[in-house]
Amino acid sequence: MQFFITSDPQNVRHIFTSNHANYPKGEEFAEIFDIMRGSLFTVDGESCRRHRAKVQSIICNPQMLGLITSTCRDKVEKGLLPFLTHMANTETAFDMQQLNTRYSFDVTATPVFGVDPGLLSTAMPPLHTTDAMDTALEVPFFRHTMPALCWKVMRRLNIGPEKRLATAQKVLREFVVKMIETRKAHHRAVDQEEGEEADASLDIQSSYINDPDYADEVLHATLINYLVAGRDTVGTGLSWFWYNITRNPSVLLTIRKELAPIASRKAAATKGPNAMVTFDPEEIKELVYLQAAVFETLRLYPPAPIERKAVLHDDIMPSGHGVRAGDTVLISLYAMARMEPVWGDDCQEYRPERWLSDDGSKLQYVPSHKFLTFSSGPRMCLGKDIGVMQLKTAVANVAWNFDVELVERHPVEPKLSCILQMKNGLMMKVKKRVE
Ligand code: HEM
């Protein structure tokens, strides 16, 4: 098998849009991510169209969007801010990456299962499930880079990284089964109490449980797919955002300037020693600089740093390179963000202004084949607006109420994984901000 590796936006447009039928995810992709096999993430063609339509109808439903938004608001106000207040009062350093994992896991899993896993509660429970998710995305990175025969032999013998992966997959499946059971028990209890009146509360899993297209294995894969789509991307994006802010403090000042008019309207209602101004997702929706700062992080540190496609038929790329049926195409989003022909001389700099019109009042249109962070074409991310809302809400609330600093000499570097986490976490300190 041959790899064709590219970071050329014209090739990307060809692969993801103009000739996308020739570049499916392919059978090997489904094998590499076997924990999600049968879910939208791993399928092509007609099956993909059916899965996508179902996901779209679920997450675009206004009631579901309302639940996702209120979960986000609650987790920020009752989880994230109290935790940071405690860290500020006790002047304790903490791992911001781990905190973001707790936040993004809870905001994702609560609407998916209709049960709050409570990772962001004051008890700070152990992170067995999220650790398992990390492993479930780390080991496939190595599967991408070695001949399939090698990792399949290791899987058969249950040795090396494959042994870790098997354990992680078991933890994840058990978690999903437990959440399904918890929800069913809740439904039964409500039905008994209220007789004929069915439980009208909302969650994503209920839309799948009685659907014959989603038998056990596919149901589990689908629910895990939701967790990965939401938790890994948002959590990772947040960590790199705070890292960028510690290196570019002027961006934080500009974000606060944009938040100030909303904050001053709310300040009168929030007096008291530990009082904080909090921002609802709806209130900050239109803030363009905040959005630009988030996009700039997602450009430089795309949570999913590589895309992989199979080649069905021989083809010629816009760059003039030929690919053959059976080849594999890899696209490095991380490299693309750092290429002068794509983003200009200052491509390595963290500069939210590149996203704004000259007077700074509007976001500029950037085509998705250049800003590939949410993918492009018919397989583009379905949760982009949700993810951006969850990122902006966490950022606005923390940015307004706290000063942040990186613990001195803490080594920040990416981990080798299908998700761009930090290898050593992100050790930070926060101080309660006095205006
Ligand atoms: C910062 C946040 C996010 C980023 C950067 C992101 C990025 C991506 C990327 C790169 C893909 C394509 C994956 C591939 O080609 O294999 C994707 C697909 C997808 N995303 Fe997101 N995502 C984010 C948040 C979310 C959220 C919050 C949800 C759910 C509510 C979501 C739902 C989906 C779904 C369902 C797909 C599959 C589309 C398909 O395969 O046809 N995403 N996302």
Side-chain angles (χ1 to χ4, degrees), residues 25 40-41 52 229 233 307 373-375 379 381-383 387 391:
K25 294 207 166 185
L40 172 57
F41 187 58
R52 254 186 96 89
T233 51
E307 282 274 4
T373 295
F374 293 96
S375 194
R379 297 301 297 263
C381 174
L382 288 169
L391 277 157

Side-chain angles (χ1 to χ4, degrees), residues 127-254:
L127 294 170
H128 302 312
T129 314
T130 56
D131 288 349
M133 287 176 77
D134 293 348
T135 305
L137 288 163
E138 225 176 294
V139 179
F141 184 86
F142 295 101
R143 285 183 171 181
H144 273 309
T145 55
M146 67 173 80
L149 187 65
C150 292
W151 66 258
K152 282 182 184 169
V153 170
M154 284 199 249
R155 183 174 64 180
R156 170 70 63 90
L157 300 174
N158 198 26
I159 55 170
E162 291 296 325
K163 185 174 178 183
R164 272 200 312 132
L165 181 61
T167 310
Q169 292 181 336
K170 187 165 173 280
V171 171
L172 273 181
R173 286 200 193 95
E174 282 169 1
F175 170 78
V176 167
V177 169
K178 191 173 110 199
M179 294 305 257
I180 294 173
E181 286 309 316
T182 310
R183 190 62 181 146
K184 277 187 186 158
H186 171 81
H187 277 293
R188 277 196 299 271
V190 173
D191 285 352
Q192 260 175 13
E193 234 171 69
E194 300 185 4
E196 291 297 290
E197 275 191 40
D199 179 10
S201 58
L202 200 63
D203 58 68
I204 290 174
Q205 61 158 315
S206 298
S207 308
Y208 289 94
I209 280 174
N210 296 321
D211 184 334
D213 284 345
Y214 292 83
D216 276 359
E217 291 260 309
V218 182
L219 173 67
H220 299 166
T222 297
L223 297 175
I224 292 170
N225 185 176
Y226 273 102
L227 289 183
V228 170
R231 170 316 287 211
D232 289 313
T233 51
V234 172
T236 306
L238 268 177
S239 300
W240 289 108
F241 178 86
W242 292 116
Y243 170 69
N244 281 324
I245 288 297
T246 58
R247 291 160 52 102
N248 301 274
S250 65
V251 173
L252 184 58
L253 299 183
T254 314

